[in-house]
Amino acid sequence: MALSVSLRTGVRILLMACAVAGSGQPALSAATDVIVGLPAGIRVSFAYLTAGMELGYFEDEGINPVLQSFQGGAVVMTQVANKGVEIGLASADPLIVASGNGTKSLPIRFFYNQTREYIWEWAVAPESSIKSFGDLRGKTIGVGSLANSHISVTRLILKEAGLNDTDYELIAVGDGGPAFKALLDGKIDAYNTARTNIASYEAVGGAVRRLDVSDRFKGIFQTGFFAHEDTLKENPELFSGFGRALTKGTIVCKNAPEWCIRTFWKYYPEHKPSGDVDAKEMNGIAKSVVSGWEPMFSFPQGSAGRFGEYPDGSWENVFNILVEGGAIPATLPDADSFYTNELVDGFNDFDETALLRKAASLKSERGDRRRGSGG
């Protein structure tokens, strides 16, 4: 399976960064500000971060998160590798693909597993004759960007349906309304996008039909937080505290989503819809955002449900899928060099009962002033 041009470009970016990674820039000290690199523009789905800021969870850990957005996970990884950004968020695919020669390409390590379930869905028009992935032969498939890290798995899903790369066309259509209009207008035959985008569209009255992805792919972990190996070793308390505050904000948002969204608008008012947001509109927005957060609460059956933890064998599973899809050769680096579970105990060290009680008290509030932390 051939990689897309844009994904190959992202991989080259990572490989070139190896030449300058660890070039002598100082490791993070006890500074309050911590830059958090995001792989896309700041949007309401990141409201769990502003919730943690508003409730003082990050401040309790001595952290002031400074959110910065970048164009793609590969770029965030180079920033972290060069110690220009302390913490990054992305999927692991670009790093794995760039490390396909058997050696990990950058001195970064994932320390917090955020989404433990595949977040990319396939939408077709309600009246479309397409019922399965095999029906996409000769069709045009829209994606947000050809540089998106999920493209390798997208191609493997189609390969399993018997399609070669030449049997369909992938085109970038962006996210949101224009992409769905292209789908309904017949300019694309299917749209492969994050579940939050589909839920947002449905929340405002849009209608699509989903193609069912096999369980094999549904269990792939997705985004996670990572840092430079040096700073992880030198200041593990920083990352343990970050993960704990992140977890607490995430749990509050699940249980008080409308408060969480209004708090996000307080920090980023440019993202608030114009005019007053009535109860119906707010309910629709909350429904779409919560849908996007569901993979953060998807734990292996029978597990203790520990936030931030990578289950045994999860990285090897992704490796095997990418090998089968032709994205990487069979010679793989040691999975343990890509991630650590050493900080998981700290992520989960809080009073959950107090946290849920705090969330319950926020359900009717508007998120317009600083709260006591609780939990």
Side-chain angles (χ1 to χ4, degrees):
M1 178 185 67
L3 290 174
S4 71
V5 172
S6 296
L7 183 54
R8 288 199 303 269
T9 300
V11 171
R12 286 198 298 271
I13 289 172
L14 288 184
L15 294 175
M16 288 187 293
C18 297
V20 293
S23 58
Q25 294 190 36
L28 182 70
S29 67
T32 301
D33 288 353
V34 175
I35 300 175
V36 180
L38 305 176
I42 295 172
R43 52 182 181 264
V44 71
S45 58
F46 295 123
Y48 52 83
L49 291 170
T50 51
M53 297 176 196
E54 180 72 3
L55 292 167
Y57 297 151
F58 287 105
E59 184 178 338
D60 291 344
E61 307 292 346
I63 297 171
N64 175 38
V66 179
L67 309 186
Q68 291 188 8
S69 59
F70 297 89
Q71 293 299 312
V75 178
V76 179
M77 288 177 181
T78 62
Q79 292 289 326
V80 172
N82 295 326
K83 299 184 180 178
V85 169
E86 284 81 36
I87 296 173
L89 173 67
S91 73
D93 300 47
L95 181 62
I96 295 172
V97 172
S99 305
N101 63 356
T103 303
K104 193 177 68 168
S105 62
L106 290 177
I108 63 175
R109 185 169 294 200
F110 283 77
F111 65 88
Y112 188 102
N113 185 11
Q114 185 189 40
T115 52
R116 288 163 289 278
E117 185 176 278
Y118 198 59
I119 63 173
W120 303 93
E121 295 186 336
W122 298 70
V124 297
E127 69 282 1
S128 172
S129 62
I130 297 170
K131 306 297 182 183
S132 67
F133 292 107
D135 295 333
L136 291 171
R137 187 181 303 276
K139 305 297 185 181
T140 299
I141 303 165
V143 294
S145 167
L146 293 175
N148 283 350
S149 58
H150 70 94
I151 296 299
S152 294
V153 177
T154 291
R155 291 190 180 278
L156 181 54
I157 290 172
L158 295 168
K159 181 180 179 181
E160 280 207 340
L163 305 183
N164 297 318
D165 292 355
T166 56
D167 291 331
Y168 56 86
E169 181 183 9
L170 291 182
I171 64 171
V173 294
D175 300 314
F180 287 103
K181 186 176 188 304
L183 178 66
L184 298 183
D185 289 347
K187 295 180 180 178
I188 57 175
D189 300 294
Y191 182 30
N192 181 210
T193 187
R195 67 169 64 186
T196 50
N197 293 330
I198 297 178
S200 296
Y201 179 67
E202 292 174 327
V204 295
V208 295
R209 179 165 47 80
R210 291 169 174 80
L211 300 181
D212 188 38
V213 176
S214 70
D215 290 342
R216 178 190 183 196
F217 296 104
K218 290 178 182 177
I220 301 175
F221 68 82
Q222 292 290 284
T223 56
F225 288 89
F226 53 90
H228 195 287
E229 292 178 344
D230 289 348
T231 48
L232 273 170
K233 291 177 182 178
E234 295 163 3
N235 197 356
E237 295 81 8
L238 168 75
F239 303 101
S240 178
F242 175 85
R244 182 164 45 250
L246 168 69
T247 298
K248 291 162 72 174
T250 300
I251 292 173
V252 167
C253 282
K254 179 186 179 183
N255 290 279
E258 295 189 9
W259 175 88
C260 191
I261 291 166
R262 293 187 188 281
T263 298
F264 174 81
W265 291 337
K266 170 189 169 182
Y267 282 76
Y268 295 96
E270 67 274 18
H271 290 278
K272 184 179 183 296
S274 58
D276 293 332
V277 178
D278 61 24
K280 181 179 180 180
E281 184 178 6
M282 189 67 201
N283 182 66
I285 295 171
K287 180 180 177 181
S288 68
V289 174
V290 169
S291 173
W293 289 335
E294 287 175 359
M296 300 180 190
F297 297 88
S298 176
F299 298 100
Q301 188 173 6
S303 75
R306 284 160 39 101
F307 287 90
E309 187 171 46
Y310 287 97
D312 291 343
S314 57
W315 281 80
E316 289 84 355
N317 179 49
V318 174
F319 285 170
N320 291 334
I321 285 175
L322 292 177
V323 167
E324 183 179 342
I328 57 176
T331 301
L332 299 172
D334 179 12
D336 289 343
S337 69
F338 283 79
Y339 77 100
T340 178
N341 278 330
E342 292 179 0
L343 304 178
V344 171
D345 286 346
F347 302 155
N348 295 275
D349 183 17
F350 55 86
D351 185 341
E352 185 175 8
T353 299
L355 196 65
L356 294 175
R357 188 164 55 244
K358 181 64 179 179
S361 73
L362 295 172
K363 283 188 176 181
S364 61
E365 300 204 22
R366 296 183 58 86
D368 56 359
R369 67 181 187 276
R370 170 70 184 265
R371 315 292 179 200
S373 61

